[in-house]
Amino acid sequence: MPAKQIRCAHTHPYLTNAHSAIVRRSAMKIGIIGAGDVGQTLAELWIQAGHTIILSSRHPETLSDVLQPLGSSAKGATVAQAAAEAEILLLAVSYWTVDEAIAHIAPHVDDKIVIDATNPLRYAEEGGTERVIGDQEIAGLVMANKLPNARIVKAFTTLWTGYLKQHAHRQSPQIAMPLAGAKADTSIVADLIQDAGFEPVDLGTLADSRPLDPPSAIWNQVLTADELRARVARTQ
């Protein structure tokens, strides 16, 4: 898609007027799989940057209240419809529903970037959460095995949604958002991270993405890019 100038049509509650200026990027049609807090928050931030959003749910008929404040740049769809129509996907579902979501999107993601924003966690019977993959497994590689024909990029896993809302487009310095995947794909996702108001920090391939998985020294920590790189370096 050719690059074009994108003018923000309105002021987003998380942004100052300085961020309502023209953003010079290619507008993308982004399918968001999962209409929870992460999906809704990134939908708002990406719409402000000029992108079009397809917000999906197992029950899209329930999305009217979510879609109304997003305006004409967003529409609702089933999971399969969003996967088929979008240029790039954000997978942002709870991990206990991830296999169900994958079953719906798998036929539509050949050679398509899927941003894996899932965390391999479930609620534990005794309270809190627990990992649902092995201690030596890396979530990005697990997802690549589940969707072998997609181009998986791991991102948006390390910050609680409240931090996303609070720190998007923070100035001097921006808050870091780590990502990992194939270089050609992370360069595209890095632009979307910038559009959401964070500084991308590329950690390498999916094999290098363990710091994006809980628990880690950077997980759910509000860090600058330099702070994030330093913490990752200390664990290697």
Side-chain angles (χ1 to χ4, degrees):
M1 179 179 293
K4 65 178 183 180
Q5 291 185 343
I6 307 168
R7 185 178 294 277
C8 299
H10 56 283
T11 301
H12 189 277
Y14 308 144
L15 306 184
T16 67
N17 288 336
H19 299 114
S20 300
I22 294 174
V23 179
R24 288 174 174 82
R25 293 202 195 286
S26 295
M28 300 191 75
K29 183 182 290 185
I30 305 169
I32 297 181
I33 310 303
D37 288 344
V38 173
Q40 290 181 41
T41 299
L42 289 173
E44 293 177 7
L45 292 169
W46 282 333
I47 286 171
Q48 183 67 25
H51 301 289
T52 299
I53 298 297
I54 307 172
L55 192 64
S56 72
S57 167
R58 290 173 292 180
H59 306 289
E61 68 278 2
T62 67
L63 293 177
S64 57
D65 289 345
V66 174
L67 291 167
Q68 193 276 330
L70 296 178
S72 59
S73 293
K75 71 174 185 177
T78 67
V79 173
Q81 287 170 340
E85 293 182 33
E87 298 171 83
I88 187 169
L89 297 181
L90 175 78
L91 182 60
V93 299
S94 300
Y95 213 78
W96 51 87
T97 66
V98 74
D99 288 334
E100 179 183 353
I102 285 171
H104 288 287
I105 71 174
H108 309 290
V109 297
D110 286 5
D111 201 35
K112 187 175 290 187
I113 294 175
V114 176
I115 305 170
D116 177 16
T118 66
N119 278 304
L121 298 172
R122 67 183 173 195
Y123 292 115
E125 291 184 4
E126 62 274 18
T129 58
E130 60 186 4
R131 279 172 65 100
V132 296
I133 63 174
D135 290 342
Q136 302 306 311
E137 290 185 291
I138 298 173
L141 294 177
V142 172
M143 186 60 70
N145 286 330
K146 290 177 179 290
L147 287 169
N149 296 326
R151 295 150 56 190
I152 303 297
V153 174
K154 197 74 176 170
F156 295 107
T157 63
T158 57
L159 286 181
W160 169 57
T161 313
Y163 290 153
L164 291 177
K165 294 177 180 179
Q166 181 181 353
H167 296 290
H169 293 283
R170 198 182 87 171
Q171 295 296 297
S172 261
Q174 281 191 313
I175 295 306
M177 181 64 68
L179 71 160
K183 190 65 177 178
D185 302 331
T186 56
S187 64
I188 295 170
V189 176
D191 281 350
L192 292 177
I193 289 173
Q194 290 178 321
D195 286 346
F198 298 91
E199 182 174 351
V201 177
D202 194 334
L203 298 186
T205 68
L206 290 177
D208 304 310
S209 68
R210 187 181 299 277
L212 280 80
D213 299 344
S216 79
I218 66 171
W219 199 74
N220 216 25
Q221 300 296 310
V222 178
L223 303 167
T224 67
D226 288 343
E227 291 168 341
L228 188 146
R229 292 187 186 100
R231 290 199 180 199
V232 171
R234 287 197 296 268
T235 65
Q236 293 176 340

